[in-house]
């Protein structure tokens, strides 16, 4: 047994992702996850290969802003193997959201590979609230760029950041 105590095992869960940007679907998973775990460490992937819209620093800062004042939520960036980050942060559970069957194959592969790399670390899947099961960061970016409405899809901090980054001409409803 590692230095992780029995109590620590249940205490902290890591919620990793690209969060480019965080959506209300992610926020829902974090809020509901906090009813199960004492604290959640949101782990933002630092991966220049993925060419994110928001820099790692921006993504971390947006999430920190969304959960400002919430003591049991922490946000850090990471690179390298997720399981190494989880161990370094003395956690044992990884939370992943599972929206649809299309997510399943990738999530299944990742969970099993992480289990192979370290059988002490468990992946905990959560279904998003039905109203967010169609939501993804990529769709959010596309909708914004094409002048669509993001109301109810992302926290206001994300919309503000998007507006600061790109000036998108809103389509006129009147011909
Ligand atoms: O939001 P995403 O892009 O679906 O999150 C994917 C993430 C960050 C969970 C995954 O890419 C990851 O864990 N990357 C770290 C590298 C790693 O550990 N790879 C092996 C996973 S089996």
């Amino acid at each position: 047994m590692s230095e992780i105590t029995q109590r620590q095992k249940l205490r902290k869960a890591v919620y990793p992702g690209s969060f480019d940007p965080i959506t209300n679907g992610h926020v829902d998973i974090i809020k509901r996850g906090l009813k199960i775990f004492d604290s959640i460490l949101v782990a933002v992937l630092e991966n220049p290969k993925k060419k994110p819209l928001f820099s790692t620093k921006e993504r971390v800062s947006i999430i920190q802003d969304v959960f400002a004042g919430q003591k049991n939520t922490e946000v850090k960036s990471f690179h390298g193997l997720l399981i190494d980050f989880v161990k370094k942060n003395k956690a044992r559970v990884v939370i992943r959201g599972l929206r649809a069957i299309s997510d399943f194959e990738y999530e299944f592969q990742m969970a099993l590979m992480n289990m192979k790399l370290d059988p002490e670390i468990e992946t905990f899947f959560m279904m998003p609230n039905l109203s967010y099961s169609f939501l993804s960061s990529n769709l959010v970016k596309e909708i914004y760029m094409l002048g669509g409405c993001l109301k109810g899809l992302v926290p206001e901090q994300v919309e503000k950041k998007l507006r600061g980054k790109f000036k998108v001409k809103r389509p006129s409803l009147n011909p």
Side-chain angles (χ1 to χ4, degrees):
M1 174 75 79
S2 64
E3 74 269 23
I4 300 173
T5 66
Q6 192 69 27
R7 180 70 189 117
Q8 277 173 327
K9 278 183 191 175
L10 299 170
R11 237 186 238 166
K12 190 195 283 181
V14 172
Y15 182 39
S18 301
F19 302 108
D20 186 38
I22 187 166
T23 68
N24 281 348
H26 296 125
V27 172
D28 169 59
I29 296 277
I30 296 169
K31 285 186 176 165
R32 286 170 40 230
L34 284 170
K35 293 180 185 166
I36 297 157
F37 300 100
D38 290 344
S39 73
I40 291 181
L41 168 54
V42 183
V44 177
L45 179 69
E46 195 180 312
N47 183 0
K49 272 195 214 153
K50 270 199 159 183
K51 289 205 173 41
L53 177 64
F54 292 102
S55 69
T56 310
K57 221 172 140 190
E58 285 174 315
R59 285 177 282 148
V60 168
S61 146
I62 295 171
I63 304 170
Q64 277 169 339
D65 227 31
V66 172
F67 288 94
Q70 187 127 18
K71 281 199 201 100
N72 44 7
T73 311
E74 198 186 349
V75 191
K76 285 184 184 175
S77 62
F78 80 104
H79 54 85
L81 280 180
L82 173 63
I83 52 145
D84 289 340
F85 177 82
V86 174
K87 276 188 282 192
K88 202 170 134 202
N89 284 279
K90 300 202 175 342
R92 210 197 143 218
V93 178
V94 169
I95 299 177
R96 289 291 288 169
L98 207 50
R99 286 166 303 187
I101 296 178
S102 49
D103 279 347
F104 185 76
E105 203 174 327
Y106 170 61
E107 294 298 336
F108 184 68
Q109 191 182 16
M110 210 160 52
L112 289 184
M113 184 52 80
N114 282 334
M115 192 189 287
K116 170 96 181 107
L117 293 171
D118 190 337
E120 287 292 302
I121 291 169
E122 293 291 345
T123 304
F124 185 90
F125 288 107
M126 291 181 71
M127 305 296 164
N129 186 301
L130 193 60
S131 38
Y132 304 125
S133 54
F134 55 88
L135 186 53
S136 75
S137 300
N138 283 340
L139 274 183
V140 161
K141 286 180 275 193
E142 189 172 317
I143 292 166
Y144 180 78
M145 299 297 190
L146 298 174
C149 174
L150 290 180
K151 197 171 165 22
L153 303 182
V154 291
E156 60 181 30
Q157 291 89 339
V158 170
E159 221 175 326
K160 213 168 132 194
K161 274 274 174 192
L162 280 166
R163 261 187 269 133
K165 234 183 198 344
F166 304 98
K167 294 280 167 267
V168 176
K169 199 163 175 276
R170 304 277 128 193
S172 168
L173 293 176
N174 304 312

